Every structure is written in C-alpha cells, then in structure tokens.
Amino acid sequence: MTRENLQKAFLTLVLIIVFGLPLILRSPTYLHILVLLYLYAYLTTSWNLVGGFAGVLPLGHAAFFGIGAYTSTVLYVQYGVSPWFGMVLGGVLASITGVMIGLPTFKMRGAYFALATIAFGEGMRVMVENIDHLGPFNINGPRGLQIPPLNVGLANLMFTNKEPYYYIILVMLIAVLAVTYFISRSRLGYYLNAGGEEPEAAMSLGVNVARCKLIAMAMSSFLTALAGSFYAQFSLFIHPKSVISLDLSFEIAFIALIGGRGSIVGPVLGALLLRPVSDFSRIYFGATLPGLHLIIFGMVLILVMIYLPRGLQQPLTKAYNGLLNRLDRRSR
Amino acid sequence: MKKPIKEIGVCSAVLWVLTMALGAGSVCLAQDKVVKVGNIIPLSGPSASVGQQGKNAREMAVEEINAAGGIKSLGGAKLVMLYTDSESKPEKGVAEAERFINTEKVHVLTGCWNSAVTYPTTAVAERYGIPFIVPVSVADKITEQGFKTVFRIAAKDSWWTRDQFAFLRDMEKEFNAKLEKIAFVYENGDWGKGFAEQWKELAKKGDYKVVLDEPYPSTATDLSPIVQKIKRANPDVLLLVSNAADAILLTNTLADYRVKLKAIIGSGGGHADPSFLQAAGKNAQYLFDIVEWETDVNKPGAKEANEKFKSRYGYNLAGESVDAYLAMYVLADAMERAASLDPVKIREALATTNLGSGRGMIVGYDAVEFDKTGQNKHASLVMVQINDIGKGMERITVWPKNARRAGYQPVFPMP
Amino acid sequence: MVFILEDTINGILMGSIYGLTALGLTLIFGVLKVINFAHGSLLMVGMYVAYWAVTLSGAHPYLTLILVIPVMYLFGYYLQDIVIKPIFKAESEVREPITVIIVTTGVWYVLDNLTLLIFGPHYRTIQENPLRGKMLELGGMLISVPKLWGFSAAVLTAAAVYLFLQKTSMGRAIRATSLDREAASLMGIKQFKIYNIAFGIGTATAGIAAVTLVPFYNVFPTVGVLFDIKGFIIVVLGGLGSIGGAILGGMIIGVIESVGPQFMAATWAEGIVYGLFLLFLFVKPSGLFGVRYDW
C-alpha cells in the first residue's frame, strides 16, 4: 500500500469506529460524555481558526457560544422557531459581533489581546445577567432559560436518547475539521499563518493581514455559536454563568494548547485527553476529597505543558508518521 | 536525555486515560438488596461550604438508618450513598445525573442546592422516571415544571417571602411600631431575583414604600457602595438575600458605616451558614433571619441530633443540613412502604408520604406530606434573631410566637 | 456633593488595594512577559498565611508582614523555579510563551483546591484585631481606617518597588532583562535567576496586599478568583509592566465601582467597568503608562 492509501485506510478505520461506537457503547452515560467531548473538540477546532492560525490567544469565545445558545433558545421557546434556524441566525449574529470585536482588538498583540477578549467575554456575561427583556425577547437575566422537553424530533433538534445528539455533533465536528483542513491549505490559511508569525513581513508582501484575521474571526465565531445552539438543545437549560462563563473560554484554550495549537488534529487530541481527565477524576475523587479532582486536572495541565510545550499533537503525529513510514516500507 | 522524558510524559498521560476508562466499568459493585442514593451537590467552588454541610447531614442520617436495621421491608437493605461534585455547574450536574441513573443504577437521586443545577438534573430524572428528592433549592419553578418525580422538602420561595412579610406585620403589631420604608438588596442570581420579585408584590399589598431595590453581584469585592446606597435610602427595614461571603461582608460593612435600621431580615443561605456567626460576630447582633429549622426548636430528638452533629463536624445543624437529614428519613420511610426497588413504586410511596414521627422528624412542623406538584405541603419556616444572651452570639427562634424560645423577648426595632 | 466625595475617597482607597493586588501581576508581566493567572491564588495563599499569623500570635495584622513577605517571596521564587522555569527553557525561542498561561492556570486550580482540601470551605475573618471596623469621621464622611492603611501600604509598596528597580543593581538587572533578555544575558545577567527574583517580589507584593485585606475581608479558598479578573483589567489599564500604572488603574476601577452604583444598579456598574475598559483599549491600547513597543 502506498502512503496515501495507508492514510486513507486509517481515516476510514477511524470513521468506522466513531460512527459505529454507539452500536457497541450503549450506555447513555458514556454517550453523554462523548457528546460533550466532541462538542469541546468542535469548539476548540472553531477557536483554532483564530487562536491557532491567526497567532493570537482569544479567551472570550464563550460570548459567541452564549449568543448561539440564547438566540436559538429565545426563538424556539417564545416563538416556536426551529432551533436549526435559530442556530444559523445565532451564528450570523455571533460573526457580526466577532468582526466588531475583532476590528479594534486585532491591532493588539500577545497579552493585550488575551486580556481584552477576557474583558469582552465577561462584559457579555454581565450584560446578559442584567437584561431581563431585550425588546420583545425574554432573556430572563441571571435566571436563565429552560427548554420544555416537548415536541421531540429532528425538526426541533431535540431527542429523548443520546444517539441522535451523538451523530449530529459528530457530523458537525467532522465538518468543522474539514473546513479547517481546507482553510489551512487555502490562500487564506497561508496568509493567516504568515500574519500570525511574521505580521510585518506578510504585510510588506501585500497580504492584508487584518482582513484575513477578520475573516477567520467571523468564521470562528459563527461556528462557535452553532455549538452554543446545539448545547442549549442538548442540555435544555442555559444560564449566563454556564454558557457565557470564563471557565468555558478557558477550557477551550486549554484543550487547544494541550492538544497543539494551530494543528488540525490538536483540538481533537486535546479534548481526548482533557475531557476524560476532567470527567473521570470528578467521578472517582469528586466525592472523596473535595477539590482533589481539580487538583489532578491542574496537575495534568502543568505536566503536559512542561513535557510537551507543543502539545500532544507533536509526539503523536511523529509516531503516526513513523508508523506510516514503517508500514509503507514493509509493503514495498 | 530530553526525549525519553517527553515520551514518559506521553505514556503516563495515555496510561492515565486508559486506566480511568477501564476502571469506569467496574465501579458498580454487585451487591444484592441495597438502596442506591445518588447525591449531586456542590463540593468545590464557591458553594462548597453548603454542599459539605449537606453531605455531612446525609452521612449522619444514613448511618443511623443503616444501624437501625436498614429498610426492613427489603430484608434490611442498606442505604448506599454515592456523592458527586456538581461544582455548581449545570453541565456537570446533568452529566452526573446521567451517570448515576444509567451506570450506577441508583434508585433515587437527591440534590442539588443551586437551582441552576436542580432544573436540568430533575429534568433528566423525570425522563428516566427516577425519583428525585430536593432537600433544598427554593425556587418555586422547581416543583412547577409538571414533573412527576420531583419531591421537595424545603419550603418554596413564595412561602419564604410570604412569611418574612407576615413576620414583619406581627412584629409591628406586637411592638406597636410602624415601619414604612423598605429596601431590597439581593444577590443577582436565580435565588435573589426570585425573592425580589415576590417581595415587590408583597410590599405593594402590605402598603410598604420600597425605597431601594438593588441587585448586586455576589462576587463583589467591596460592598461599601451598596451599603452607602442603603444608608442614603434610609429604609426602616432591609431585606437581604446573600451567599456566605457577601453576607459576612455586608453585615460587617453595615456596622462599619453605622447604618441605623429598624430591622434587617436575611433569607437563610449565607446568613445561616455556620461560618456567618463566627465571621460577623457582634455585627450580626439583632439581625433577623428566616430558616426552616433552628437548634432551639421544641421537638424531641432535635437537641440530640444537633449535639451529635456538632460533636462530629464542629458546627451546628442549619436549615439546609436539616432538610438533607430529613430527606434521608423521608426516603427510608418511602422505601419501607414501597418494599421494592422499582422506581415507579418508590415514586408512588414518596407521593403518599405522611411522615409525622421518627428520628428524622426534628423539624418544627408536624409531618412531611407532598402535594400534587411534589412540594412538601407542611414545610414551615421560623424567624430567628441573632443575639447574645450570655453564651455568645446565637440564633434564637422568635416567630411564629408559639415557637418562640421560652423566656426570650425579641429586640425590635433594633436599637 | 459630600456623597460623591465620600464615595470617591472610598473608591480611591479600595482601588489602591486593588492596585496593590495587581502590582505583582504587572511586575511579573514586565519581566517574564507572561500573564500570571495564578496571581489571585497567590493572594489567597498570602491571606491564609496572614490569617493564621494574626490568629495564632494575636499581633497587629501589619506586624505579620515580617513573616508574610519572606514566606511569600520564597513561595514565589520556588514556584517559578520549579514549575514555570521548565517551560521557559523548553520555549526559549518564543517571546511571550502562551503555554505559561496554561501552567499558571494549572497552578491556580491546584492551589485553590489544595486550600479547600486542607482548610475546608469555611469563611474566616479575624475577629480581634485593632483595625477591624474602625472608621474615621471627617466632616460628616466616614472613611474606613483599614482601607486607609491599605492605601498607605499600596503607595509605599509601589514606591519601594519602583525605587528598588531604579536604584539598586539588582533592580537594574531586572529592568535590563525585561527590556531585552538576550542582551542582558550577554551582559552576564542570569536570566532565570532574575525571573525567580521577579516572581518572588511579585508574590511578596501579593502577600502585602493580602495583609491589607485580612483586617476587613473574608478568607476562603476561592477568594483569589474575585480579585483575578479585576487585576487583569487594572494592569492593562495602567499599562502592562508599569508600577505606577497599576496603582492608578486600580484607583480608577475603584472609583467607578464606588461612585457608579450611586447612579445605577451595582450590577450595571460592573458592566461599565468592562465597557470602559474595552473602550479605553481601543483608544489607547498600551494603557495609561504602557510603552508602545510592548504590545
């Protein structure tokens, strides 16, 4: 087999596994954990368009997630509009917000950008917590919104069992990975990369770095908002402290950095490590010694960063390439 | 040398995940005839204090129940407690409810204190038909969602606010004082907003003039601006909803700025936290607080239960922990009558609860009985005043009058 | 009018304490070029040290500085040396290693929850201390005495750190490293030693802030988080790396927080802080005293 075929075979194998998993793993507990794992992988991949390729560290993506969650929920609960439509509309609103916030902040670099986005995210949360009604829409301030579990079905993006959610978020994840893949190979991707690493050089070559970053931001915030709507329909309850939280913005960044920023598989690898660590350490230690599971989570963050500052992606891609090479050589 | 270290890092990380994943399957130990109770409470983060109290109270109750022979109709089946940390986050609460129901196969769930966690977790329980006992989460909405499996021990917030105003009226009559101006200051969350909404209506009905209606972020680092606002609005009565950290800060700052009020009325929560009395000390004197239970309640067994709790954990039982304690006895009673581990039967037994006696009934009211929505109809509240009558600051029941501690004359209005 | 003056004074006093909590953050950023997300947790650790020192010895809270400063200095010194240094070594070619943010966040989780594990979730205040509840009456205004002490401590600490950086040879070495670490190490300055010292000093100032807070504030495991975000806003407002900017930025936040609620709900005043901060960033991204090259 040639290298390319090997790679295709490998990819097919992975796809078969992930699509077949619910047939074997029937427990809703694990499907639930997996749905959240994919959701975080999806969020981080969307974040990666800005945080990875554009070379800045946004720490306010929860704001876009919140816009998505609130748009679809308000429209669905109060006007009966299908969440699918709310999802798209939320995405559009989020990308407008993203561009508006990106215009001034992309001039900043490093720590300033990170801190400005934190302020943006937190400001958004405070705003939602202060608004009970926005025009005709009932946002319900800090108390949040519940989605009544009626009218189950695909049209309402609401199901009683986990499998449909699993497949929807899986398809979303694959789609966003594909988008990232094509962007990274497109002109936009090269420009973004160049603009992130050597903005002066890129600009002198006539690349409109600012515009590229804004496009990336618009896409990233759009995609993030879609996940917000999905999450709202999945959990059926949203409130500012859960969907627009700093914790969420941070966790996305953790996953990206642990997995490997700016690489396509990085976010998935990061989610594959961090989500189980977070879930299982809570399951095992959450009740025995209070806070122990968060100590473990913190230790994992520290240790991975010390030993793998480029993220899990680096040794694993190396191992993967090594494996491919070996198989390739053997088959010849 | 560098490389091996890196690889060790990766390997250990991968191993870690694998062991975790493999171990997950074997958590559930096969034991015959136990009643598994899943408890979702905040054990870390900002609500850790109240979560810990609830856990301790549950532990004590379950030990007593098991020591007394467990559930006799199930052949002496023991209650087995599973706890998990919600971190006050709905997302974690929901994931844990799913796990408890599907993997641990619990027979009943309890929790979650934070209403934001209780809403979505009770929805999960409802979907699977697993009974869910809510010791405390006071939002009205929790029992008004049309769920069949939710049973709440605590009074709901419309009762809390109703009694706060009834208390105020009674005190005005008893002490012949007329209070007119009223101020609302509350944490900007589900709990505070819920209370404030009701207060506004009650104030209108009661002909009080609302001079201040102020939400504040409970993460505030300085509450003197709020205190200044209270001082300038110059109310007679101040009604508060606070979490622990802000309750302490607010009480101390009110004293610092020498704000003169005729009455300060708390709403449990932060004001009832065991750390509150210690941390606010003398500044808390004469403050009123509404609670479901107080150490001086006139009920057989209450004193003993509190002594036992205090000797084990170092602080008194409080409203929140008593509800958790009682919840376990309500559960044991229901299990006894259900004589089955079938969730439908357990639910039915819970719905027909009429628990009037027994070791757990240390609350001031006569019986636990649930109405159609799953709300404990008899849940009642008492008002306490914090005062020093020779043994340091303590909480003394003053209202309703028939529950008032013998020989205590409330100080009203505050001097 | 007196009201506004009273609130402004309270805002300045409380704000200077915020500034003091952010001083270490800005110092550490100035030298190491990283945001220390664990700074709030370091403040929390300082508060526990001060709390126990006062409770066990019964001394005046400010006397515990003798203990808190060296303990916190060493804590910061070795935290940087053991936990953060390895990342710098691994990422030596990057100017602002973002991975350090993750590590400091990890440190934050570990410290907060370790404290929860050891000391429990209880809220503590020091009951018996000479500063508690003291108020100064000034023409109908009430001014908090412990905050006045905090204000003095903030100004003195900022001045001391500033002078230390300007006048001593160690200070000059720190500044040289912050300007250009390659050049500084060519001059024979040991980069990582300087990092350790800067981190130690930053942590020690968090300790001082902790001492100013314990006479009137609660101590509990997650207390640092409340000051964390505020600290970030302050340092950017003042200009990352600027000592005076941190104190001034703190005062601005303090005044908004104190005067704002008199005209609107306190929850909106919180929003105003973020709004103004963003607005300010757009106009002058380098902060009040920030240097342009630094962003």
Side-chain angles (χ1 to χ4, degrees), chain C residues 26-214:
Chain C
T26 208
L27 183 76
I28 291 168
F29 182 85
V31 180
L32 281 77
K33 302 284 176 270
V34 296
I35 316 168
N36 175 21
F37 276 73
H39 202 71
S41 301
L42 297 178
L43 179 74
M44 182 273 300
V45 171
M47 285 171 86
Y48 270 90
V49 175
Y51 171 81
W52 285 113
V54 176
T55 314
L56 295 179
S57 71
H60 187 284
Y62 279 77
L63 266 181
T64 61
L65 281 173
I66 312 169
L67 178 76
V68 172
I69 293 179
V71 166
M72 293 304 285
Y73 176 81
L74 289 176
F75 187 70
Y77 187 98
Y78 286 106
L79 184 67
Q80 145 69 24
D81 195 53
I82 295 164
V83 182
I84 301 174
K85 197 170 75 182
I87 322 267
F88 278 108
K89 291 214 161 145
E91 293 241 77
S92 51
E93 76 281 14
V94 190
R95 185 163 176 273
E96 285 183 26
I98 283 169
T99 38
V100 176
I101 289 184
I102 305 293
V103 171
T104 57
T105 318
V107 171
W108 157 15
Y109 286 6
V110 171
L111 285 180
D112 278 18
N113 289 291
L114 213 53
T115 313
L116 174 70
L117 209 61
I118 298 169
F119 296 109
H122 317 292
Y123 301 84
R124 299 158 198 271
T125 58
I126 304 170
Q127 284 297 315
E128 300 303 326
N129 78 74
L131 290 176
R132 187 174 148 105
K134 289 276 177 316
M135 300 298 276
L136 191 70
E137 251 184 293
L138 202 76
M141 294 188 295
L142 283 172
I143 292 157
S144 160
V145 173
K147 283 183 192 164
L148 214 53
W149 277 71
F151 172 79
S152 323
V155 174
L156 285 176
T157 309
V161 171
Y162 184 79
L163 286 177
F164 168 79
L165 290 177
Q166 296 295 325
K167 302 289 178 199
T168 62
S169 58
M170 178 55 75
R172 275 190 283 270
I174 291 176
R175 278 192 299 139
T177 312
S178 82
L179 285 175
D180 190 335
R181 64 180 179 219
E182 278 76 32
S185 43
L186 287 178
M187 306 288 286
I189 296 170
K190 285 191 187 114
Q191 184 197 339
F192 289 115
K193 179 104 184 157
I194 294 289
Y195 279 15
N196 292 351
I197 291 170
F199 212 96
I201 297 173
T203 311
T205 61
I208 300 175
V211 169
T212 68
L213 282 168
V214 286

Side-chain angles (χ1 to χ4, degrees), chain A residues 28-30 40 132 142-143 146 160 162 231 237 247 273 275 277 280 282-284 287 290 293 296 307, chain B residues 5-6 16 20 23-24 55 83 85 87 89 91-92 96 98-99 102-103 116 119 141 145 190 197:
Chain A
T29 311
Y30 294 107
Y40 274 92
D132 282 337
R143 312 176 70 177
Q146 270 173 292
T160 39
K162 306 279 170 199
Y231 175 79
F237 173 73
D247 290 344
L273 175 69
R275 288 304 304 178
V277 166
F280 287 109
R282 190 184 63 246
I283 290 171
Y284 286 106
H293 61 298
I296 293 170
Y307 292 112
Chain B
I5 295 177
K6 276 190 181 177
W16 164 262
M20 290 270 138
K55 184 177 181 224
Y83 295 95
D85 182 7
E87 300 171 33
K89 293 175 184 162
E91 177 206 318
K92 315 258 161 163
E96 290 296 5
E98 291 279 354
R99 179 175 69 89
N102 294 306
T103 306
Y119 294 143
K141 211 163 75 183
Q145 305 181 94
D190 192 61
E197 229 164 65

